[in-house]
Amino acid sequence: MNSAGETSAAGHQGRRTKAKDSDAAHDRHLLRDMLLIRRFEERCVELYSAAAIRGFVHLYIGEEAVAVGVHQALTEHDAVVSTYREHGHALARGVPPEAVMAEMYGRLTGCSKGRGGSMHLFDPGRRFYGGNAIVAGGLPLAAGLALADRMRGRERVTCCFFGDGAFAEGEFHETANLAALWELPVLFVCENNLYAMGTALAREHAQTDLAMRAASYGMAAWAVDGMDVHAVEKAAHRAVTSIRAGGGPHLLEARTYRFRAHSMYDPDRYRPKDEIAKWKQHDPVTGMTEALRSSGRLTSARLKKVERGIAEEIEAAVAAAEQAPKEPVESLLHHVTGRNEEKS
Amino acid sequence: MKAGGDHNGATTFREALRDALREALTADDRVFLMGEDVGRYGGCFGVSLGLIEEFGPDRVRDTPLSESAFVGAGIGAALAGMRPIVEIMTVNFSLLALDQILNNAATLRHMSGGQINIPLVIRMTTGAGRQLAAQHSHSLEGWYAHIPGIRVLAPATLQDARLLLAPALADPDPVLIFEHGTLYNVEGHLDPAVPAVDLDHATVPRKGTDLTVIAYGGCLSKALAAAEELAGDGISAEVVDLRSLRPLDDATIISSIRRTHRAVVVDEGWRSGSLSSEISARITEQAFFDLDAPVERGCSAEVPIPYASQLEEAALPQVPGIVAAARRVVS
Ligand SMILES: Cc1ncc(C[n+]2csc(CCOP(=O)(O)OP(=O)(O)O)c2C)c(N)n1
Ligand SMILES: [Mg+2]
């Protein structure tokens, strides 16, 4: 996302190496990136209610510290592979809110030209290889991207986000073995939000220590507090530094929580209300805001300004999406193959 | 480039495939081969034998048993600029990678609004005829031919075994190549006058006037044998080798039917919902008033392919059945 004209994926290289919480500007940048995701998705809820956007929409609210923290360790040369819960990953990667919003509207100006929608955001120019709505479907792709980099001698990392539910799929286990066997430069980020749709972690996994199981494949793996953006950032730096030094794949199990239902269709009947309330006390956005406020590093005037800037950016994205052209049905058969459209 | 065949240009289908792989690996350093046992074992059907010694284990890459992961890794590597050739031992095992093939390889271009493409080749063995029983004998290429976003090829001749790979690698999209298991040992001579083949067109290996027999892959030789037998009875059968199962070359099929007015479609897949159903439907859609008889089909019986040889033989399209179908359409 844009803050002062630079993308979070590429920027702040120098600052990153400094102590985790001593740099007020960096912390304000982290807050802004998380706030943008939060406000963007809150706006999506309204737009969904207004039927402006449709389909399956999976909100990241509550998990923002993971995407933003991990992205501090990535450069523009690295690749990102994501899931259907990927608005946060895309925005943290620097995909413009305008392109994401237009995609939710199904417009030609969307980051996937309206062919993908919320679950399939793509931006190959930023090496963002998609939203994938097959649980664990992106994991093998990440191994392949990393394999290509390794074979071509490119010092890049491929970062792959997926959930605790995906951890039960064969595609995770096949890919973990392959990546470890071939020592591929992959950063696996398992967003353990304790639920796969309505199935709680302990009801889907015989052994719920996911990092330990990942380590059994012969890769470095550890759990990190996914509600603490500094902890995530630090862990990601450590992992990425090791991967770049030839340390093979690493896995971070980010322990996090989604504050909203699984998708817009989910009545959220399977979680105790007090569990949700308890996790909301660890809200990464309000936590960071309060930390900055109480230490005097963020005045209310400045916070207001940040909020206003974000609101303007989002409203501009909505307005642009509303105005954006719809693809004419005459080109329905485009983007199927590269050669001229098949007769079939 | 070393030629696999002997000094007289004699070669086998397997050697022709291997020569094509060697040529591709030599010509472009982005090309690499990966799959189960393609390296030290030499490929489960011996196609890549010796290539690991020539090109090293990085480019002739043995994978663990994980069809989904290594097919998906092929997709990812293609996305990152490589030109991978992924070998799946047989089509039966490709079902473990079907998610990657359909939901990613065939679909990413579209879901991204045309921003990315997957220049990937996937080779696999298909078909019955070797008493390998149901889990090693099915012909599922017709299922793959159902999928928009990929190209599906079925070489039936030495020429195609040798020459299809290069244009497949040049295609910007995923190409699946189905090699019928009974063809690997077929011997013959390559025609040096044919330097290249194109992927879009079916061929007509035998001209005729009374009916058109449409076949591909492992069934082509059966179609040609049937045509030979029919010629003895004064029936002139034209034979079309589809070569490409997706897209289908409607023009070649239909122009043949317009001349012969009769058709028999031979397909080792099961009859229901098969490639032969699709071809038959296209003929009625596009050449109904040119037809002098209903389209006949010679397909596999609707049974998992049995082990016992007499049962396996009875389950598959065979020359006598093709000849009988041809007699019915011309009578
Ligand atoms: C292969 C597959 N199976 C089932 C689904 C339906 N589904 C969508 S999301 C989901 C839960 C995934 O949970 P997790 O991996 O923990 O990710 P989260 O949604 O919690 O971020 C399921 C079962 C799917 N999309 N793909
Ligand atoms: Mg989950």
Side-chain angles (χ1 to χ4, degrees), chain A residues 63 84-85 163-165 191-197 204 258:
Chain A
E63 307 187 29
Y84 48 85
R85 194 182 300 288
D164 49 290
E191 299 181 316
N192 179 1
N193 60 11
L194 296 175
Y195 289 87
M197 288 184 61
E204 57 173 334
R258 62 171 157 76

Side-chain angles (χ1 to χ4, degrees), chain A residues 56 58-60 63 83-85 89 119 132-137 162-169 171 190-199 201 204-205 256 258 261-263, chain B residues 99 103:
Chain A
F56 277 134
H58 305 86
L59 300 175
Y60 196 59
E63 307 187 29
T83 69
Y84 48 85
R85 194 182 300 288
H89 306 142
M119 300 192 289
N132 202 308
I134 304 299
V135 171
F162 58 101
D164 49 290
F167 203 106
E169 292 279 7
E171 287 191 312
C190 177
E191 299 181 316
N192 179 1
N193 60 11
L194 296 175
Y195 289 87
M197 288 184 61
T199 304
L201 188 70
E204 57 173 334
H205 290 284
T256 183
R258 62 171 157 76
H262 169 72
S263 75
Chain B
D99 167 49
N103 286 319

Side-chain angles (χ1 to χ4, degrees), chain B residues 14-305:
Chain B
R14 174 184 292 109
E15 286 163 349
L17 290 167
R18 188 186 305 143
D19 285 345
L21 288 169
R22 180 184 290 114
E23 181 184 60
L25 286 159
T26 306
D28 185 345
D29 69 357
R30 297 171 304 172
V31 172
F32 67 102
L33 175 69
M34 74 172 155
E36 292 158 2
D37 282 317
V38 297
R40 286 182 178 81
Y41 189 95
C44 60
F45 295 98
V47 171
S48 52
L49 194 66
L51 294 181
I52 191 171
E53 282 78 19
E54 277 178 64
F55 298 98
D58 225 36
R59 297 185 66 208
V60 181
R61 182 174 281 267
D62 284 317
T63 66
L65 281 148
S66 42
E67 285 79 6
S68 189
F70 70 75
V71 170
I75 298 167
L79 208 45
M82 302 298 281
R83 291 291 180 276
I85 303 168
V86 173
E87 175 178 308
I88 302 175
M89 285 184 165
T90 84
V91 68
N92 309 277
F93 319 145
S94 78
L95 302 185
L96 281 78
L98 191 51
D99 167 49
Q100 288 299 321
I101 297 172
L102 172 53
N103 286 319
N104 282 338
T107 310
L108 286 168
R109 177 192 278 274
H110 182 258
M111 289 193 304
S112 69
Q115 295 178 93
I116 59 180
N117 63 296
I118 313 292
L120 169 70
V121 171
I122 304 175
R123 302 171 36 239
M124 60 186 112
T125 302
T126 187
R130 293 160 296 150
Q131 279 198 267
L132 298 180
Q135 292 179 339
H136 285 73
S137 299
H138 289 150
S139 288
L140 305 177
E141 55 276 6
W143 284 3
Y144 286 103
H146 183 62
I147 303 173
I150 59 176
R151 192 190 272 281
V152 180
L153 303 175
T157 64
L158 289 174
Q159 215 72 34
D160 282 359
R162 177 66 184 81
L163 298 174
L164 278 180
L165 183 63
L169 279 166
D171 196 285
D173 297 304
V175 179
L176 271 55
I177 302 179
F178 287 91
E179 302 162 4
H180 198 282
T182 59
L183 295 176
Y184 289 120
N185 291 328
V186 168
E187 271 188 311
H189 291 264
L190 284 169
D191 180 355
V194 183
V197 296
D198 85 287
L199 302 181
D200 293 319
H201 293 101
T203 66
V204 183
R206 184 180 176 119
K207 285 275 179 196
T209 52
D210 296 332
L211 81 150
T212 303
V213 182
I214 299 154
Y216 69 90
C219 283
L220 179 66
S221 60
K222 294 176 181 177
L224 289 167
E228 192 61 32
E229 196 176 321
L230 289 162
D233 297 349
I235 299 171
S236 165
E238 178 149 307
V239 177
V240 171
D241 171 9
L242 290 174
R243 180 195 273 158
S244 169
L245 311 185
R246 182 181 190 96
L248 282 168
D249 177 7
D250 289 6
T252 298
I253 297 168
I254 300 302
S255 79
S256 178
I257 305 293
R258 292 232 157 89
R259 282 183 282 103
T260 65
H261 310 290
R262 297 170 172 90
V264 174
V265 187
V266 187
D267 176 8
E268 205 176 291
W270 293 297
R271 171 183 298 256
S272 305
S274 64
L275 198 65
S276 70
S277 321
E278 176 62 28
I279 293 165
S280 173
R282 290 188 190 207
I283 292 170
T284 48
E285 283 164 357
Q286 297 174 48
F288 183 77
F289 296 106
D290 293 291
L291 285 174
D292 285 344
V295 176
E296 282 266 354
R297 289 188 286 155
C299 302
S300 282
E302 308 255 337
V303 59
I305 302 299

Side-chain angles (χ1 to χ4, degrees), chain A residues 46-70:
Chain A
E46 293 170 14
L47 292 166
Y48 202 89
S49 306
I53 56 180
R54 297 279 81 192
F56 277 134
V57 172
H58 305 86
L59 300 175
Y60 196 59
I61 291 176
E63 307 187 29
E64 295 92 339
V66 183
V68 171
V70 166

